Amino acid sequence: LVRSVSREGELAVRTALGAGRGRLVRQLATESVVLSVIGGVVGLAIASVGTKLLVRMAPATLPRLDSIQIDSAVLAFTSVLSLVTGLAFGLLPSRTSTRPDIASTLREGGRGSGMRRSSHRARRLLVVVELALSVMLLAGAGLLIKSFERLTSVDPGFRTDHAVSFAISLPAVKYKSDEQLSTFVTSMLDRVRALGGVQKAGAAMGMPLTPFGMTFTFSVSGRVYKSPADQPSAEVRVATPDYLATMTIPTLKGRGFNATDRRGAARAFLITESAVKQFFPNENPIGKHITLGWNRDAGDLDGDVVGVVGDIKQTSLADKPLPQFYVAYDQWPVRSFNVVIRSARNLSSVARDAATAIHEIDPDLAVSSVKSLDDVFAESVAQPRFYMMLLTVFAVLALVLSSVGIYGVIAYLVGQRTREIGIRVALGASRGNVMRLVAREGLSMTAIGVTAGLVGAIALSRLMQALLFETAPTDVWTFVEVVALLSLVAIVASLVPALRAARIDPVLAIRAE
């Protein structure tokens, strides 16, 4: 749009030499379409590489991740968009550019002085729309960034540093009895603890911050329930005595598991702090006898509460901790469990040494899902991190486009007002006055665009509520920071042509006219 006006002199000469309006329209449309098609091709190339990178960076939990690709629908959409863009921005300015006042245009040196006010308004409107969209995208990105920071600062209930975990599943064909299961786990943990650099090691059924579905109803001795449906429920984890210490889960009351919690002894339960608040408010849970709805040939799983331990985040940092019960492994062995090792050594080498030690006991066992606890933590926030990154990329692109738009329009207006600025300087206007005059154009567009963008951002941010954690969709400081950033970019984009205008030599400007 800007360049079409600057070519009014050229088009006036072509018209004076006999070029018809249709020929000029075809020329402008062809040039614009060629540029937009080239842009579309380059965009597709960038999109092809960018899509592969994004898919590689995306969390595995993202639905239909394998089907994300540039397909025929994307190609068709991009082709049509390129052609429509080229035709629209080639034909719209041609309505005025191909009907020049030949005499006045040639006399003015083709500086586009005959440009209509509607053209000015169209250019300003496009920049204002760009700015408004930038505000909306930046506000969305800002909300997600703040939400992600708060999410990652949540205490998961255990330390993730210097710890590695892996999964083991004992086959029923080889390990038929509970005694065989307990014997293997005891021998395996003894060998792992004997490895160089290993500080602690323990095992439990399931890992925190990962999907876990072992939930059972239970009853408390002395309480009457109208029906089994009225019984409360809680998650149940089977753990070895050293598991809580290895995970650094604190014991808040009573005791943790110890060597006395063996097969044949009275079963012991540990319950979490949230279980105490939900099921034993205003009473001491220690000594309460609990019977779980988890039974085997030997009967129901029941026992006494011997301690209260800290809460952990089960499936997500954003969810409130669910009530949990722990039962000692020797008293209720399971076939599938996760081993956690805490060590100051390189965790990869520790995991390899542990796998070797396990294969010395049973060479047929598979050690799977080897991950550091830091990786487990990172995977639990992978999806919100991806959404934040994606929207931030779009917001940065929008910010670049809007700043280029401001710069382009202001630079164009400076070129159109060269003679006026030269006269002002000749009559005594200072550089500061000229800079303020020019910068006012950009700042006025910025003010309108930012205001419109804020209204749109406030209206649309509520749609992001499900993606936010402990962050209001109308967070005031986020919007203030977005406005400050965009205003700073707009000021810089306006100052560059303003500085150029302030250096105009009035003699040369007037002589050129």
Side-chain angles (χ1 to χ4, degrees):
L1 285 172
V2 168
R3 290 186 179 277
S4 68
V5 176
S6 66
R7 296 178 64 185
E8 284 186 356
E10 172 201 339
L11 298 177
V13 171
R14 291 179 180 272
T15 303
L17 294 176
R21 185 167 184 266
R23 184 183 181 90
L24 295 180
V25 169
R26 288 195 299 273
Q27 176 189 338
L28 292 175
T30 300
E31 292 173 355
S32 184
V33 167
V34 168
L35 284 175
S36 62
V37 168
I38 293 173
V41 171
V42 174
L44 275 174
I46 296 174
S48 178
V49 176
T51 301
K52 292 176 182 177
L53 289 175
L54 286 174
V55 169
R56 196 174 300 168
M57 296 170 65
T61 55
L62 198 67
R64 300 181 63 187
L65 187 62
D66 295 336
S67 63
I68 298 176
Q69 59 183 341
I70 297 179
D71 54 15
S72 56
V74 174
L75 288 171
F77 174 79
T78 306
S79 302
V80 171
L81 186 64
S82 298
L83 289 172
V84 170
T85 302
L87 289 172
F89 289 93
L91 293 177
L92 286 177
S94 70
R95 295 177 58 190
T96 56
S97 299
T98 58
R99 290 179 178 175
D101 182 345
I102 299 175
S104 62
T105 300
L106 293 175
R107 184 169 58 250
E108 293 292 338
R111 299 197 62 84
S113 58
M115 182 178 58
R116 294 182 175 86
R117 288 185 178 180
S118 60
S119 299
H120 273 305
R121 285 197 296 269
R123 290 159 183 76
R124 289 189 176 94
L125 178 62
L126 285 174
V127 174
V128 167
V129 171
E130 279 186 327
L131 286 165
L133 292 174
S134 297
V135 170
M136 293 164 67
L137 282 168
L138 283 169
L143 289 171
L144 285 180
I145 291 172
K146 183 163 290 187
S147 172
F148 184 75
E149 288 177 348
R150 291 179 177 176
L151 182 64
T152 53
S153 65
V154 170
D155 181 11
F158 57 93
R159 278 177 48 198
T160 62
D161 60 303
H162 303 298
V164 64
S165 70
F166 52 85
I168 293 178
S169 184
L170 302 178
V173 175
K174 185 179 292 187
Y175 300 88
K176 299 178 180 180
S177 66
D178 287 351
E179 185 178 357
Q180 287 176 307
L181 296 174
S182 295
T183 300
F184 171 83
V185 169
T186 301
S187 177
M188 179 264 299
L189 289 177
D190 287 342
R191 290 191 179 224
V192 169
R193 293 189 193 102
L195 296 174
V198 172
Q199 299 165 343
K200 290 183 176 66
M205 184 176 60
M207 284 295 295
L209 297 178
T210 56
F212 186 73
M214 299 296 287
T215 301
F216 295 95
T217 58
F218 67 92
S219 61
V220 180
S221 295
R223 296 183 183 179
V224 179
Y225 304 94
K226 295 180 180 180
S227 67
D230 294 328
Q231 292 183 348
S233 61
E235 283 192 351
V236 180
R237 291 182 188 268
V238 179
T240 62
D242 286 339
Y243 173 77
L244 295 176
T246 305
M247 294 290 292
T248 66
I249 299 173
T251 300
L252 306 177
K253 193 173 186 179
R255 67 172 179 86
F257 293 137
N258 56 38
T260 63
D261 299 316
R262 296 279 183 183
R263 184 177 178 81
R267 293 195 185 104
F269 281 158
L270 301 177
I271 65 175
T272 58
E273 189 175 12
S274 59
V276 174
K277 293 177 181 177
Q278 185 169 339
F279 304 128
F280 304 98
N282 304 318
E283 60 180 315
N284 184 6
I286 305 298
K288 298 289 185 182
H289 189 80
I290 293 174
T291 301
L292 290 171
W294 188 4
N295 52 62
R296 294 176 178 171
D297 294 338
D300 293 328
L301 175 57
D302 65 334
D304 295 332
V305 177
V306 299
V308 178
V309 298
D311 286 315
I312 61 170
K313 295 289 187 177
Q314 286 95 333
T315 57
S316 168
L317 290 172
D319 296 335
K320 291 183 179 179
L322 297 174
Q324 282 190 323
F325 293 170
Y326 291 91
V327 60
Y329 186 90
D330 277 346
Q331 296 181 335
W332 200 263
V334 292
R335 299 187 183 280
S336 298
F337 50 86
N338 290 80
V339 179
V340 182
I341 303 172
R342 188 166 292 279
S343 172
R345 281 175 53 201
N346 179 274
L347 296 180
S348 297
S349 63
V350 169
R352 286 194 299 270
D353 292 346
T356 301
I358 292 169
H359 289 151
E360 290 175 356
I361 303 174
D362 187 341
D364 297 327
L365 285 181
V367 175
S368 60
S369 302
V370 180
K371 298 177 184 177
S372 69
L373 293 194
D374 285 330
D375 289 338
V376 172
F377 183 90
E379 288 179 6
S380 71
V381 295
Q383 195 156 319
R385 180 193 289 114
F386 182 71
Y387 293 148
M388 175 196 70
M389 179 194 68
L390 202 61
L391 195 57
T392 301
V393 169
F394 292 152
V396 170
L397 289 174
L399 183 63
V400 171
L401 289 174
S402 59
S403 60
V404 170
I406 295 172
Y407 170 80
V409 170
I410 300 302
Y412 165 74
L413 293 175
V414 168
Q416 294 296 305
R417 300 174 68 178
T418 299
R419 183 171 181 268
E420 173 199 338
I421 293 172
I423 293 174
R424 288 177 179 271
V425 173
L427 292 176
S430 66
R431 286 190 173 185
N433 290 333
V434 173
M435 288 182 64
R436 283 192 294 272
L437 174 69
V438 174
R440 193 181 299 128
E441 293 276 356
L443 297 181
S444 63
M445 288 188 292
T446 301
I448 297 171
V450 167
T451 302
L454 281 175
V455 173
I458 292 172
L460 293 178
S461 60
R462 299 186 184 279
L463 300 177
M464 298 178 57
Q465 185 108 32
L467 299 176
L468 301 179
F469 174 75
E470 293 186 357
T471 303
T474 54
D475 185 74
V476 175
W477 283 110
T478 298
F479 288 120
V480 169
E481 291 163 0
V482 167
V483 170
L485 174 61
L486 197 57
S487 299
L488 178 62
V489 171
I491 289 171
V492 173
S494 301
L495 283 180
V496 173
L499 286 169
R500 188 181 303 161
R503 296 192 183 99
I504 290 177
D505 186 333
V507 176
L508 295 178
I510 297 172
R511 182 183 299 167
E513 295 293 337

